[in-house]
């Protein structure tokens, strides 16, 4: 990707004459659309979350210009792709609702989604809806209400009984911080 690529939603195209290219908005007429590319600077990505099954905990998202009343996340199966996958069942909020579009508490740099309970162990993905991708679209609509809107992969959620062991820094290879309601948020740049 170009270093100076602007934040936004791009159509990923392939053409036999020009190869792989990015298009803002609609794809060129002679190109085959092969997917979408989302470039964001609002949310930190590459995170690993470690939580225990059957326990109410939180998932924390960090970044810039976050809006607690509007920003949302979705939890999908670990083998799915953000923006394509659907919310998993067996992951519930304190109110009993499925974590599909959970509202958050927090600040402009830190959002806390929870309490959330994962009924079963396994690997999941945490997807974020960046509302700024939709700015300027000619068809106004409510954003962050459809599974396809959650196209930014924040990270992987590992639900395992090993969470208690990983609280000890000797048993992990990366930096981790405890989250407000339990569990760990990990990444190479976590201080």
């Amino acid at each position: 990707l170009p270093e100076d690529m602007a934040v936004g939603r791009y159509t990923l195209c392939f053409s036999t004459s020009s190869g792989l290219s990015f298009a803002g908005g609609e794809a060129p007429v002679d190109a085959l659309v092969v997917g979408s590319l989302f470039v964001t600077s609002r949310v930190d990505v590459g995170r690993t979350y470690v939580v225990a099954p059957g326990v109410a905990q939180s998932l924390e998202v960090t970044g810039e210009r976050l809006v607690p009343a509007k920003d949302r996340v979705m939890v999908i199966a670990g083998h799915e792709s953000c923006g394509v996958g659907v919310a998993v069942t067996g992951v519930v909020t304190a109110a009993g609702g499925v974590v599909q579009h959970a509202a958050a508490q927090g600040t402009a740099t830190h959002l806390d989604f929870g309490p959330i309970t994962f009924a079963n162990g396994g690997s999941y993905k945490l997807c974020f809806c960046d509302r700024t991708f939709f700015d300027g679209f000619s068809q106004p609509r409510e954003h962050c209400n459809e599974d396809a809107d959650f196209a930014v992969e924040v990270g992987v959620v590992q639900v395992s009984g090993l969470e208690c062991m990983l609280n000890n820094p000797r048993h992990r290879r990366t930096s981790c911080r405890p989250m407000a309601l339990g569990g760990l948020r990990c990444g190479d740049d976590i201080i």
Side-chain angles (χ1 to χ4, degrees):
L1 295 175
E3 289 285 328
D4 60 347
M5 189 167 210
V7 170
R9 182 179 192 167
Y10 296 87
T11 302
L12 188 58
C13 306
F14 181 79
S15 164
T16 54
S17 60
S18 61
L20 195 60
S21 64
F22 306 103
E26 296 297 315
V29 176
D30 66 336
L32 173 66
V33 175
V34 293
S36 295
L37 174 70
F38 297 86
V39 178
T40 184
S41 64
R42 291 188 60 232
V43 64
D44 297 330
V45 298
R47 299 292 183 240
T48 299
Y49 299 88
V50 183
V51 297
V55 179
Q57 297 167 89
S58 59
L59 295 175
E60 296 176 352
V61 173
T62 57
E64 299 174 358
R65 300 179 323 278
L66 302 174
V67 182
K70 294 184 178 182
D71 286 327
R72 297 172 182 239
V73 295
M74 178 173 76
V75 177
I76 63 172
H79 65 277
E80 298 279 352
S81 295
C82 292
V84 179
V86 297
V88 296
T89 58
V91 181
V92 297
T93 64
V98 174
V99 179
Q100 182 170 9
H101 311 286
Q105 299 176 18
T107 67
T109 59
H110 179 269
L111 299 177
D112 183 12
F113 295 88
I116 298 171
T117 303
F118 288 81
N120 300 307
S123 182
Y124 303 87
K125 288 183 182 170
L126 184 63
C127 306
F128 180 79
C129 177
D130 190 335
R131 294 171 291 93
T132 63
F133 290 155
F134 305 102
D135 291 348
F137 274 66
S138 59
Q139 296 293 322
R141 67 172 179 83
E142 195 64 35
H143 304 301
C144 302
N145 286 327
E146 298 178 20
D147 293 344
D149 295 342
F150 293 78
V152 177
E153 182 178 322
V154 176
V156 175
V157 182
Q158 298 294 342
V159 182
S160 168
L162 296 177
E163 181 263 335
C164 63
M165 184 176 85
L166 293 175
N167 277 315
N168 185 332
R170 293 185 308 206
H171 300 294
R172 57 183 189 237
R173 294 183 181 165
T174 189
S175 299
C176 295
R177 290 188 63 106
M179 293 184 285
L181 298 177
L184 299 169
R185 177 174 45 94
C186 305
D188 291 335
D189 60 347
I190 305 259
I191 298 173

